[in-house]
Amino acid sequence: RSSWLLLAPLLTPPVPVITAPPCSLCPEGAHRFQWIRNLVPEFGISSSHVKVLSSPTEFYELLKVQIKTAKQRVVMASLYLGTGLLEQELVDCLEETLEKSLQAKGSSNLRVSILLDYTRGSRGRKNSRTMLIPLLQRFPEQVRVSLFHTPNLRGLLRLLIPERFNETIGLQHIKVYLFDDNVILSGANLSDLYFTNRQDRYVLLQDSPEIADFFTELVDAIGDVSLQLQRDDTVQMMEGMVHPYQGDKMAYCEIANRRVMEVINSARTRQELLHAKTFHSSQQGSSLLSQQGAQASGGLKPEPDTWIYPLIQMKPFGIQIDEMVTETLLTEAERDARIYLTTGYFNLTQAYMDLILGTRAEYRILLASPEVNGFFGAKGVAGAIPAAYVYIEHQFYSEVCYLHQQERVQLQEYSRAGWTFHAKGLWLYLAGSDLPCLTLIGSPNFGYRSVHRDLEAQVAIVTENKALQQQLHQEQEQLYLCSGVVSSSTFEQPNRYVKLWVKLVTPLIKNFF
């Protein structure tokens, strides 16, 4: 009982404080999203550098190829690294690449930086830490392993909450995999399920040095305020850094905020200087600057037709950029626009639900059926989590029906034998268009945890290129093809029965999963 009392201050959701974006949406096509660059750096690239992947196997094989060919840097941010044979093969690839780099030059330029969550990465005797220690022992000058520990798990709370349950307080949830100048954005973790039969989303940004630099700096910043794994499996903070759970919480969060915002603001300033010639320039100077830019680059670099905006959400540090952008996109979606939104765990924040139910766009929301929920069949209390999601889904569906919004807001459940579902993101189709011009892809699930507890990152990809729009459209269609539309009869099925105790407990604990 005492541990539940300790959780009491965390059970009450804080009132969100959202600052309106500095500029409203513009009226023409993809140009209307230019306001996002007032918040974060804007990276203009050619659509030919963007590749959408579709399967876990493709994702895994790409990871191995990219590791083996990396020459300068490997940066991997994930919730955890699994302990199976497939994960060991990734570690072996890293070891082989580091060894080759040393043999080629005597002293290697290759640097490997891995950022994981402390609580999830320390679970069990064999864990992410024990998987990576051999790399630290063999290549101490080239390998860095950082373990983020949320500042909200401290004191008696930290002592009393058991392993696994302590992960509910807050996590490092960012998933970015970076090799030299190639970046993979995903929601997938480094675990065998995500390499075989757990459906997620994956986008490769090729030959994008500015984007790679940004995410390298972001992971470095979080790494600097994280615990550093040592060769003897101990951890310690960098010299002079405030400890996340032993030091002053406010001082720690202020330092973390400053480090992350320095990365965002400095990259934003760099991009404004580098890409003054994109479509956001003043009308008078735009074409002239564009011509000068093409001449300066020798005509080798194509003009950008696609723009990447990194959206960061770290509420423990007072950073709410992703929340602000997502809410604005939902607010400004026009009548007859279509938004396809998918999440592995349907537990939308109240603000997101209110916007979906109160705005004019059409919504198609894809979520996991109980059988493909990652917690399906789990032992103990975790086994009831799919039922809790069914209860939350039923409540939302009832609200849709009460407001007579069934035609405009449609729920669909992903179902695929032998698979689980973890895909998350958003595709935006403007009114009258059959193809999306914007997608969000990354780690957030659009739920309470993503907004308030965890460290999250995704990117908004905005494109005018029809071929890339077609790629994104096919990705969306492929996911939604494995789904069925939710109706009242869905909740009458025997496998949708929710026990009374689950109904009673869900409102109390829904902010933790």
Side-chain angles (χ1 to χ4, degrees), residues 388-404:
Y389 281 116
V390 168
Y391 182 59
I392 293 167
E393 175 190 352
H394 194 181
Q395 285 185 312
F396 181 77
Y397 179 77
S398 298
E399 185 72 11
V400 170
C401 294
Y402 176 76
L403 297 171
H404 305 291

PDB file of all heavy atoms in Angstrom, residues 388-404:
ATOM      1  N   ALA A 388      -7.126  -3.728 -20.432  1.00  0.00           N
ATOM      2  CA  ALA A 388      -7.225  -2.312 -20.077  1.00  0.00           C
ATOM      3  C   ALA A 388      -7.292  -1.458 -21.340  1.00  0.00           C
ATOM      4  O   ALA A 388      -8.056  -0.491 -21.401  1.00  0.00           O
ATOM      5  CB  ALA A 388      -6.030  -1.895 -19.223  1.00  0.00           C
ATOM      6  N   TYR A 389      -6.512  -1.822 -22.360  1.00  0.00           N
ATOM      7  CA  TYR A 389      -6.562  -1.082 -23.629  1.00  0.00           C
ATOM      8  C   TYR A 389      -7.913  -1.269 -24.321  1.00  0.00           C
ATOM      9  O   TYR A 389      -8.433  -0.335 -24.946  1.00  0.00           O
ATOM     10  CB  TYR A 389      -5.430  -1.527 -24.550  1.00  0.00           C
ATOM     11  CG  TYR A 389      -4.091  -0.915 -24.202  1.00  0.00           C
ATOM     12  CD1 TYR A 389      -3.019  -1.697 -23.790  1.00  0.00           C
ATOM     13  CD2 TYR A 389      -3.894   0.463 -24.279  1.00  0.00           C
ATOM     14  CE1 TYR A 389      -1.793  -1.143 -23.456  1.00  0.00           C
ATOM     15  CE2 TYR A 389      -2.673   1.028 -23.951  1.00  0.00           C
ATOM     16  CZ  TYR A 389      -1.631   0.222 -23.537  1.00  0.00           C
ATOM     17  OH  TYR A 389      -0.426   0.786 -23.209  1.00  0.00           O
ATOM     18  N   VAL A 390      -8.489  -2.463 -24.226  1.00  0.00           N
ATOM     19  CA  VAL A 390      -9.832  -2.689 -24.773  1.00  0.00           C
ATOM     20  C   VAL A 390     -10.840  -1.778 -24.093  1.00  0.00           C
ATOM     21  O   VAL A 390     -11.710  -1.170 -24.749  1.00  0.00           O
ATOM     22  CB  VAL A 390     -10.249  -4.172 -24.612  1.00  0.00           C
ATOM     23  CG1 VAL A 390     -11.745  -4.345 -24.914  1.00  0.00           C
ATOM     24  CG2 VAL A 390      -9.424  -5.066 -25.516  1.00  0.00           C
ATOM     25  N   TYR A 391     -10.708  -1.637 -22.784  1.00  0.00           N
ATOM     26  CA  TYR A 391     -11.620  -0.778 -22.021  1.00  0.00           C
ATOM     27  C   TYR A 391     -11.482   0.679 -22.448  1.00  0.00           C
ATOM     28  O   TYR A 391     -12.494   1.380 -22.654  1.00  0.00           O
ATOM     29  CB  TYR A 391     -11.325  -0.939 -20.528  1.00  0.00           C
ATOM     30  CG  TYR A 391     -12.230  -0.145 -19.626  1.00  0.00           C
ATOM     31  CD1 TYR A 391     -13.612  -0.331 -19.651  1.00  0.00           C
ATOM     32  CD2 TYR A 391     -11.705   0.801 -18.737  1.00  0.00           C
ATOM     33  CE1 TYR A 391     -14.446   0.400 -18.809  1.00  0.00           C
ATOM     34  CE2 TYR A 391     -12.533   1.526 -17.891  1.00  0.00           C
ATOM     35  CZ  TYR A 391     -13.900   1.325 -17.941  1.00  0.00           C
ATOM     36  OH  TYR A 391     -14.736   2.050 -17.121  1.00  0.00           O
ATOM     37  N   ILE A 392     -10.238   1.147 -22.610  1.00  0.00           N
ATOM     38  CA  ILE A 392     -10.000   2.531 -23.057  1.00  0.00           C
ATOM     39  C   ILE A 392     -10.548   2.736 -24.468  1.00  0.00           C
ATOM     40  O   ILE A 392     -11.191   3.756 -24.766  1.00  0.00           O
ATOM     41  CB  ILE A 392      -8.488   2.841 -23.011  1.00  0.00           C
ATOM     42  CG1 ILE A 392      -7.980   2.852 -21.564  1.00  0.00           C
ATOM     43  CG2 ILE A 392      -8.189   4.180 -23.686  1.00  0.00           C
ATOM     44  CD1 ILE A 392      -6.469   2.849 -21.433  1.00  0.00           C
ATOM     45  N   GLU A 393     -10.320   1.758 -25.327  1.00  0.00           N
ATOM     46  CA  GLU A 393     -10.837   1.825 -26.703  1.00  0.00           C
ATOM     47  C   GLU A 393     -12.360   1.888 -26.716  1.00  0.00           C
ATOM     48  O   GLU A 393     -12.960   2.685 -27.457  1.00  0.00           O
ATOM     49  CB  GLU A 393     -10.346   0.591 -27.469  1.00  0.00           C
ATOM     50  CG  GLU A 393     -10.898   0.469 -28.885  1.00  0.00           C
ATOM     51  CD  GLU A 393     -10.580  -0.889 -29.506  1.00  0.00           C
ATOM     52  OE1 GLU A 393      -9.813  -1.669 -28.898  1.00  0.00           O
ATOM     53  OE2 GLU A 393     -11.112  -1.169 -30.591  1.00  0.00           O
ATOM     54  N   HIS A 394     -12.998   1.059 -25.900  1.00  0.00           N
ATOM     55  CA  HIS A 394     -14.464   1.025 -25.845  1.00  0.00           C
ATOM     56  C   HIS A 394     -15.023   2.363 -25.359  1.00  0.00           C
ATOM     57  O   HIS A 394     -16.024   2.871 -25.903  1.00  0.00           O
ATOM     58  CB  HIS A 394     -14.921  -0.112 -24.924  1.00  0.00           C
ATOM     59  CG  HIS A 394     -16.380  -0.437 -25.068  1.00  0.00           C
ATOM     60  ND1 HIS A 394     -17.007  -1.403 -24.318  1.00  0.00           N
ATOM     61  CD2 HIS A 394     -17.361   0.090 -25.873  1.00  0.00           C
ATOM     62  CE1 HIS A 394     -18.284  -1.467 -24.650  1.00  0.00           C
ATOM     63  NE2 HIS A 394     -18.522  -0.571 -25.586  1.00  0.00           N
ATOM     64  N   GLN A 395     -14.368   2.942 -24.362  1.00  0.00           N
ATOM     65  CA  GLN A 395     -14.810   4.248 -23.866  1.00  0.00           C
ATOM     66  C   GLN A 395     -14.733   5.309 -24.959  1.00  0.00           C
ATOM     67  O   GLN A 395     -15.645   6.118 -25.122  1.00  0.00           O
ATOM     68  CB  GLN A 395     -13.958   4.662 -22.664  1.00  0.00           C
ATOM     69  CG  GLN A 395     -14.285   3.912 -21.378  1.00  0.00           C
ATOM     70  CD  GLN A 395     -13.481   4.451 -20.206  1.00  0.00           C
ATOM     71  OE1 GLN A 395     -12.260   4.626 -20.298  1.00  0.00           O
ATOM     72  NE2 GLN A 395     -14.147   4.748 -19.105  1.00  0.00           N
ATOM     73  N   PHE A 396     -13.624   5.315 -25.703  1.00  0.00           N
ATOM     74  CA  PHE A 396     -13.467   6.295 -26.777  1.00  0.00           C
ATOM     75  C   PHE A 396     -14.495   6.057 -27.880  1.00  0.00           C
ATOM     76  O   PHE A 396     -15.115   7.009 -28.379  1.00  0.00           O
ATOM     77  CB  PHE A 396     -12.051   6.226 -27.352  1.00  0.00           C
ATOM     78  CG  PHE A 396     -11.806   7.220 -28.455  1.00  0.00           C
ATOM     79  CD1 PHE A 396     -11.592   8.566 -28.173  1.00  0.00           C
ATOM     80  CD2 PHE A 396     -11.783   6.819 -29.785  1.00  0.00           C
ATOM     81  CE1 PHE A 396     -11.371   9.484 -29.189  1.00  0.00           C
ATOM     82  CE2 PHE A 396     -11.549   7.734 -30.814  1.00  0.00           C
ATOM     83  CZ  PHE A 396     -11.344   9.066 -30.500  1.00  0.00           C
ATOM     84  N   TYR A 397     -14.702   4.793 -28.238  1.00  0.00           N
ATOM     85  CA  TYR A 397     -15.688   4.483 -29.281  1.00  0.00           C
ATOM     86  C   TYR A 397     -17.087   4.921 -28.853  1.00  0.00           C
ATOM     87  O   TYR A 397     -17.868   5.444 -29.668  1.00  0.00           O
ATOM     88  CB  TYR A 397     -15.660   2.989 -29.594  1.00  0.00           C
ATOM     89  CG  TYR A 397     -16.668   2.595 -30.648  1.00  0.00           C
ATOM     90  CD1 TYR A 397     -16.419   2.859 -32.001  1.00  0.00           C
ATOM     91  CD2 TYR A 397     -17.876   1.989 -30.302  1.00  0.00           C
ATOM     92  CE1 TYR A 397     -17.346   2.517 -32.971  1.00  0.00           C
ATOM     93  CE2 TYR A 397     -18.801   1.644 -31.272  1.00  0.00           C
ATOM     94  CZ  TYR A 397     -18.541   1.910 -32.598  1.00  0.00           C
ATOM     95  OH  TYR A 397     -19.463   1.580 -33.571  1.00  0.00           O
ATOM     96  N   SER A 398     -17.402   4.713 -27.583  1.00  0.00           N
ATOM     97  CA  SER A 398     -18.713   5.137 -27.067  1.00  0.00           C
ATOM     98  C   SER A 398     -18.876   6.649 -27.177  1.00  0.00           C
ATOM     99  O   SER A 398     -19.969   7.154 -27.491  1.00  0.00           O
ATOM    100  CB  SER A 398     -18.877   4.691 -25.608  1.00  0.00           C
ATOM    101  OG  SER A 398     -18.832   3.296 -25.504  1.00  0.00           O
ATOM    102  N   GLU A 399     -17.786   7.374 -26.922  1.00  0.00           N
ATOM    103  CA  GLU A 399     -17.829   8.834 -27.038  1.00  0.00           C
ATOM    104  C   GLU A 399     -18.040   9.254 -28.498  1.00  0.00           C
ATOM    105  O   GLU A 399     -18.804  10.182 -28.788  1.00  0.00           O
ATOM    106  CB  GLU A 399     -16.518   9.437 -26.497  1.00  0.00           C
ATOM    107  CG  GLU A 399     -16.486  10.953 -26.451  1.00  0.00           C
ATOM    108  CD  GLU A 399     -17.373  11.556 -25.373  1.00  0.00           C
ATOM    109  OE1 GLU A 399     -17.869  10.804 -24.510  1.00  0.00           O
ATOM    110  OE2 GLU A 399     -17.568  12.783 -25.395  1.00  0.00           O
ATOM    111  N   VAL A 400     -17.387   8.567 -29.421  1.00  0.00           N
ATOM    112  CA  VAL A 400     -17.568   8.832 -30.854  1.00  0.00           C
ATOM    113  C   VAL A 400     -19.033   8.634 -31.238  1.00  0.00           C
ATOM    114  O   VAL A 400     -19.636   9.464 -31.935  1.00  0.00           O
ATOM    115  CB  VAL A 400     -16.657   7.920 -31.704  1.00  0.00           C
ATOM    116  CG1 VAL A 400     -17.020   8.020 -33.193  1.00  0.00           C
ATOM    117  CG2 VAL A 400     -15.189   8.290 -31.503  1.00  0.00           C
ATOM    118  N   CYS A 401     -19.626   7.539 -30.768  1.00  0.00           N
ATOM    119  CA  CYS A 401     -21.027   7.242 -31.083  1.00  0.00           C
ATOM    120  C   CYS A 401     -21.967   8.264 -30.437  1.00  0.00           C
ATOM    121  O   CYS A 401     -22.950   8.713 -31.073  1.00  0.00           O
ATOM    122  CB  CYS A 401     -21.392   5.830 -30.617  1.00  0.00           C
ATOM    123  SG  CYS A 401     -20.532   4.528 -31.509  1.00  0.00           S
ATOM    124  N   TYR A 402     -21.688   8.637 -29.210  1.00  0.00           N
ATOM    125  CA  TYR A 402     -22.517   9.616 -28.500  1.00  0.00           C
ATOM    126  C   TYR A 402     -22.563  10.948 -29.255  1.00  0.00           C
ATOM    127  O   TYR A 402     -23.607  11.622 -29.311  1.00  0.00           O
ATOM    128  CB  TYR A 402     -21.969   9.818 -27.093  1.00  0.00           C
ATOM    129  CG  TYR A 402     -22.693  10.883 -26.293  1.00  0.00           C
ATOM    130  CD1 TYR A 402     -23.947  10.644 -25.737  1.00  0.00           C
ATOM    131  CD2 TYR A 402     -22.115  12.142 -26.099  1.00  0.00           C
ATOM    132  CE1 TYR A 402     -24.610  11.625 -25.014  1.00  0.00           C
ATOM    133  CE2 TYR A 402     -22.769  13.121 -25.375  1.00  0.00           C
ATOM    134  CZ  TYR A 402     -24.018  12.857 -24.838  1.00  0.00           C
ATOM    135  OH  TYR A 402     -24.670  13.840 -24.124  1.00  0.00           O
ATOM    136  N   LEU A 403     -21.433  11.312 -29.871  1.00  0.00           N
ATOM    137  CA  LEU A 403     -21.347  12.572 -30.621  1.00  0.00           C
ATOM    138  C   LEU A 403     -21.750  12.408 -32.086  1.00  0.00           C
ATOM    139  O   LEU A 403     -21.638  13.353 -32.868  1.00  0.00           O
ATOM    140  CB  LEU A 403     -19.916  13.126 -30.535  1.00  0.00           C
ATOM    141  CG  LEU A 403     -19.430  13.514 -29.134  1.00  0.00           C
ATOM    142  CD1 LEU A 403     -17.933  13.834 -29.159  1.00  0.00           C
ATOM    143  CD2 LEU A 403     -20.213  14.709 -28.601  1.00  0.00           C
ATOM    144  N   HIS A 404     -22.171  11.184 -32.467  1.00  0.00           N
ATOM    145  CA  HIS A 404     -22.578  10.882 -33.850  1.00  0.00           C
ATOM    146  C   HIS A 404     -21.447  11.179 -34.844  1.00  0.00           C
ATOM    147  O   HIS A 404     -21.674  11.755 -35.901  1.00  0.00           O
ATOM    148  CB  HIS A 404     -23.841  11.680 -34.218  1.00  0.00           C
ATOM    149  CG  HIS A 404     -24.978  11.476 -33.264  1.00  0.00           C
ATOM    150  ND1 HIS A 404     -25.670  10.282 -33.158  1.00  0.00           N
ATOM    151  CD2 HIS A 404     -25.530  12.318 -32.346  1.00  0.00           C
ATOM    152  CE1 HIS A 404     -26.609  10.397 -32.222  1.00  0.00           C
ATOM    153  NE2 HIS A 404     -26.548  11.609 -31.713  1.00  0.00           N
TER     154      HIS A 404
END
